[in-house]
Amino acid sequence: MRSTILLKVTGEIFTDAATSMPTSVLARSLARQIKKLADTHHFGIVIGGGNFFRGSRHGTALGLNASVGHQIGMLATMMNGLTLKDLFEQEGLPCTLFCAVPSAQVGTAISHQTITEARAAGHYMIFTGGTGNPFFTTDTTAVLRGLQIQADEIWKGTLVDGIFSADPKKDPYAAYIPHISYEKALFDNLGILDATAITLAREHALPIRVFNIFKENALLNAALAADFGSRICPLTNNDNVSQKGYYHGRAI
Ligand code: UDP
């Protein structure tokens, strides 16, 4: 049976880090990797909008009402979704573009029925518009859509190799954390995913993998090895007690 994965990717995949110019290199590579995994993995994808606009950063800088800033951020994810769909289809991957912000000209409304139709048609599912609500994130969207498509795992493709005790770009002593419980990730406030996303995943025991999407063949490696990247998941009996820590003053 094929695994169902909800892949979350930042809009930064469309920006070349060296030149800051738009690029489709990584998106095309992701399409080719997804195609190679077609027999074993089916994907839904949540795309961010950070290459265009982030409500908290750009909206604040412009002095916008916070809700308006977030609305613009959600529209940014829709532009990226259109881009991703076009690039994926050029690579031979049929896709349905879903929009949480109603926009019939751009994409399909999100419901159990439309998701089922897309799957029955063998389409990959690209989710845009975030949750459709301000003050949420595309990470929370990823968990929400992951639950809707009954994903086995959330894969968060990011700029770093996984979860660290501190920001590895700023702290040379930041330690890599291969796996961590939802509770400890929340308690330690590690900043890799927001608390709303982790809480929702925890409620439904939906595992989250975090890895560097900018590394060559990241999706193929994630599919091959369960220890590629860091994992946020329920504790097992083999977990060291020090992994567990305390949450709200209670040993876990
Ligand atoms: N956003 C929102 N509600 C959501 C998801 C996203 O308001 O449910 C807005 C928010 O302002 C965010 C922006 O959309 O900054 C773009 O998403 P994000 O910053 O997550 O993009 P990424 O960093 O993943 O490219």
Side-chain angles (χ1 to χ4, degrees), residues 8-12 48-51 53-56 69-70 73-74 77 130-138 141:
K8 152 77 209 288
V9 284
T10 166
E12 303 289 356
N51 53 323
F53 203 94
R54 288 193 174 104
S56 50
H70 289 308
M74 288 187 269
T77 72
T131 61
N133 295 293
F135 303 106
F136 285 92
T137 64
T138 46
T141 310

Side-chain angles (χ1 to χ4, degrees), residues 1-7 34 37-45 93-96 98 115-116 118-127 149-153 155:
M1 216 177 75
R2 287 201 301 177
S3 299
T4 300
I5 303 296
L6 190 294
L7 173 68
I34 287 172
L37 292 169
D39 289 341
T40 53
H41 292 74
H42 189 66
F43 286 86
I45 297 137
L93 289 185
C95 296
T96 296
F98 290 97
I115 287 171
T116 307
R119 287 196 81 144
H123 284 193
Y124 292 89
M125 299 166 279
I126 300 176
F127 294 101
I149 67 168
Q150 297 177 296
D152 298 296
E153 200 172 28
W155 289 0

Side-chain angles (χ1 to χ4, degrees), residues 37-246:
L37 292 169
D39 289 341
T40 53
H41 292 74
H42 189 66
F43 286 86
I45 297 137
V46 165
I47 178 85
N51 53 323
F52 286 126
F53 203 94
R54 288 193 174 104
S56 50
R57 178 153 175 257
H58 301 89
T60 306
L62 290 168
L64 299 181
N65 178 294
S67 293
V68 176
H70 289 308
Q71 277 179 301
I72 299 170
M74 288 187 269
L75 295 178
T77 72
M78 288 161 62
M79 292 194 281
N80 281 336
L82 277 171
T83 309
L84 198 63
K85 178 175 169 19
D86 192 58
L87 294 172
F88 273 22
E89 289 184 343
Q90 287 180 29
E91 298 294 331
L93 289 185
C95 296
T96 296
L97 185 66
F98 290 97
C99 294
V101 177
S103 181
Q105 288 83 352
V106 177
T108 306
I110 305 171
S111 69
H112 178 68
Q113 288 73 13
T114 54
I115 287 171
T116 307
E117 280 165 25
R119 287 196 81 144
H123 284 193
Y124 292 89
M125 299 166 279
I126 300 176
F127 294 101
T128 69
T131 61
N133 295 293
F135 303 106
F136 285 92
T137 64
T138 46
D139 285 349
T140 301
T141 310
V143 179
L144 178 61
R145 303 295 171 230
L147 291 169
Q148 285 182 286
I149 67 168
Q150 297 177 296
D152 298 296
E153 200 172 28
I154 306 290
W155 289 0
K156 175 170 168 161
T158 183
L159 292 138
V160 290
D161 289 348
I163 302 174
F164 288 82
S165 56
D167 184 347
K169 291 197 189 301
K170 294 182 188 152
D171 183 348
Y173 298 104
Y176 178 74
I177 301 172
H179 68 118
I180 188 166
S181 68
Y182 302 109
E183 289 82 359
K184 187 150 168 58
L186 284 167
F187 182 76
D188 288 356
N189 196 17
L190 294 172
I192 192 75
L193 269 104
D194 64 89
T196 313
I198 298 172
T199 305
L200 186 59
R202 173 175 159 240
E203 301 258 296
H204 299 273
L206 181 55
I208 302 172
R209 199 114 64 91
V210 179
F211 58 83
N212 191 337
I213 194 86
F214 291 85
K215 278 204 164 155
E216 205 179 337
N217 291 328
L219 298 182
L220 299 180
N221 288 325
L224 271 177
D227 62 355
F228 181 78
S230 303
R231 216 158 177 258
I232 310 177
C233 50
L235 284 172
T236 69
N237 289 337
N238 295 331
D239 280 321
N240 188 312
V241 176
S242 65
Q243 277 268 335
K244 299 182 180 177
Y246 291 84

